[in-house]
Amino acid sequence: MGKKLDKKAEPAAGKTSKGMKVDKAVKKFRKLEGKLWTREYLLKIAEFDGATIAPANGAAARADAMGTLAGEHHKLLTSEKSVELVRSLARETVAGGKIDDPQLLDEIRVLGRDQREASAIPTEEAEAWTRLTCEADAVWRKAKTANDWASFEPYVDRIVGQLKHQAELMDPKRDPYDVWLDQYERGLSTKSFDAFCDEVKATVVPLVHAIGKRGQQPAADFLHARVPEAAQRAMSFDLMKLVGLNLDDTTLAFTEHPFSEGFSVGDARIATHIYENDCISNVYSIIHEAGHAMYELGVNPAYARTCLEGGTSMGIHESQSRFFENTVGRSRAFMGPLLQVLRRHAPEVYGSVDEDTLYHAVNIAQPSLIRTEADELTYPLHIMVRYEIERMLFAGEATAKDIPALWNRFMDEYLGIPVPDDTRGCLQDTHWSGGSFGYFPTYALGSAYDAMFVPAMCRDGRPYRCLRERRSGARPCLAGRAHLAVGPRQGRAGAHQGRLRHGVRCPLLLQLPAGQVHHAVSAVKLRRHANAKGAPRVGSAAPLFH
């Protein structure tokens, strides 16, 4: 007779009871991520619809629906069951070395951080915030058209008040504005961005004023010739294809303020605004937003339906859109393909324009009123105008009623031009209506990141083909797309505006000027750095701050 068998059942081959327990917890974790993702997806659909095709009178109903859905997301994220699941994985498996999948480790870390931050905000406040920003967005759209700051002013005060309150709940020891800067670019603070601004101001402000007094600009009247809306709509699709988008992965809508949004693998959408007397505005909005879309479409599909899906930070996201818009889109090599598209859809305007003339025209550097139309030199100064005002609001040094005067003051100080009305001044951007205070600095950082890409590519011996031809004068052509190695998303709020901020509505990615890119440069390897709390954040190949 054989040996008596143990009463305890033997575990499956290669699996200990502890291992099976871990596997079961991981399956629950993945299911939780999927449920959260589904709610985020539905919120993004409602928001995209509201910004593009929804009728104005539907805003109130949409706000109610989105508020309820945001509340459900918040409850699911912060429920005792969900929090304990993530904590147990972090405590019993991560700390104990039971999981060695680096992506899963990142997912557990990021979702745990999201839960800690979201748990500080009551679900009722998350719902109310979504309703407030939906209502504010509808008011802003009417106010901008009517040049009516007074109607929008109360919403700015309410939104800033709520953001200060939320920041106090999330981290009472930090400056409230620093809390929100950190949400868009992990590790960013007023101290570090001030140092960045000081260097930019010291160089750029005197140069801009000197150009205004002594600079000579090329003739470019054709840039403001009338191009019918129908022609520009058709042109937009050709531009999307020109920079590498597969039209089966995207769609084009029309809105007051250009933006883009990544919904899922194979679904990244663009919205633009057409001015018949400013075709180039739409051209570079499309190229910018196409860059955003390609970044989303280029993200590793393994991150799909997880908390890592989307861009790694807003600064990196904007670096990708700025790369396409400026480094590629305004290069000499790009003028040939661009001119072909322009002539195809507006031959009466661009038929007699040559490549050199177009190249000089789209690279004119001079102060202007509209941030999204600004050239590469003056663009960061537009960001600083907004940054200065946001800091004053959060410090209690100003309220919404002071913004028009402050705007005019800083525009004169930095760019040396008067502001004729609020439509072309403090009402021009949609960000504040959606509560995106702290977002603007990522545009300046994105431009700085962008400036590092080509030198890094050349150092690694992988220059982008059209950029190499920019110097040689050879016939231009966009090279095959490589992937920028930025890694998974480091945090929900810092990824892109269409995401929830702890169940609190955050607006869609907005053109500042245009889009994102994961397709662009394989040579740049972005290092992760640890902040004071030990959470990794994305840094650049060379330090931006001192």
Side-chain angles (χ1 to χ4, degrees), residues 71 130 168 295 381 403 439 488:
T130 298
E168 174 72 17
Y295 181 24
L381 302 182
I403 289 178
Y439 183 116

Side-chain angles (χ1 to χ4, degrees), residues 68-222:
T68 299
L69 192 52
E72 290 182 5
H73 180 280
H74 188 273
K75 287 178 184 176
L76 178 61
L77 177 63
T78 62
S79 72
E80 185 176 337
K81 185 177 179 181
S82 296
V83 170
E84 181 53 36
L85 172 63
V86 178
R87 282 179 180 171
S88 67
L89 279 171
R91 181 176 60 246
E92 297 178 20
T93 64
V94 177
K98 299 296 188 299
I99 294 178
D100 57 7
D101 178 354
Q103 177 179 324
L104 181 55
L105 292 172
D106 270 345
E107 290 174 46
I108 294 168
R109 174 183 56 78
V110 170
L111 192 59
R113 182 183 65 197
D114 287 349
Q115 287 179 327
R116 289 190 297 275
E117 293 175 342
S119 294
I121 300 171
T123 297
E124 297 76 15
E125 291 190 20
E127 293 181 6
W129 170 259
T130 298
R131 292 187 176 94
L132 171 61
T133 52
C134 283
E135 183 181 346
D137 182 70
V139 172
W140 167 78
R141 291 174 188 278
K142 293 179 180 179
K144 180 180 178 182
T145 302
N147 186 35
D148 180 16
W149 174 259
S151 66
F152 182 55
E153 181 183 298
Y155 288 92
V156 175
D157 282 332
R158 289 172 63 190
I159 286 170
V160 171
Q162 279 298 304
L163 288 174
K164 290 168 74 172
H165 169 65
Q166 291 174 20
E168 174 72 17
L169 293 175
M170 290 165 61
D171 195 341
K173 296 181 180 180
R174 296 177 67 191
D175 179 280
Y177 192 51
D178 279 348
V179 171
W180 296 116
L181 289 174
D182 182 67
Q183 287 292 306
Y184 291 104
E185 194 74 3
R186 292 292 177 176
L188 184 63
S189 66
T190 52
K191 181 179 179 180
S192 58
F193 195 67
D194 282 346
F196 174 88
C197 290
D198 288 344
E199 291 195 35
V200 173
K201 283 189 286 189
T203 302
V204 175
V205 173
L207 181 57
V208 168
H209 285 289
I211 289 173
K213 292 178 181 177
R214 303 193 302 274
Q216 295 183 342
Q217 302 293 357
D221 292 344
F222 61 88

